[in-house]
Amino acid sequence: CSPLLCTVNGLQARTFGVWTLLSSVIRCLCAIDIRNRTLYYITLFTFFLALVHFLSEVFIYHTAALTIGVMAPLMVASFSILGMLIGLQYLEVEALAQNKKKN
């Protein structure tokens, strides 16, 4: 059996599944309430966490090969981080405009 398959047990697989489910719920909530800055930052953090996780599995722990199964989440996380950082600029401009209206 391969080293990766021999080291993963049911508990680890379920933990990874729950982590993935939690990340997707956070991301969906952010999509619903995109102007919630706290939720926006938490969502951005989930993408950073995913990127660091997959990069560490490939380059530090050597428990995953750089295949399409690993490249796909790396690309999604990278592009999502980029898009959210660009979107963050629009949230800042919108917040400033709302503050001017209040004053």
Side-chain angles (χ1 to χ4, degrees), residues 8-21:
V8 175
N9 62 33
L11 175 61
Q12 291 167 322
R14 288 187 298 276
T15 301
F16 188 73
V18 169
W19 172 65
T20 303
L21 180 62

Side-chain angles (χ1 to χ4, degrees), residues 31-52:
I32 292 168
D33 188 10
I34 194 76
R35 289 178 177 84
N36 184 332
R37 295 170 57 95
T38 303
L39 191 54
Y40 196 89
Y41 283 116
I42 292 170
T43 303
L44 183 58
F45 180 72
T46 66
F47 286 114
F48 275 116
L49 191 61
L51 183 66
V52 168

Side-chain angles (χ1 to χ4, degrees), residues 23-33 39 43:
S23 294
S24 67
V25 167
I26 291 169
R27 293 166 187 171
C28 287
L29 290 173
C30 183
I32 292 168
D33 188 10
L39 191 54
T43 303

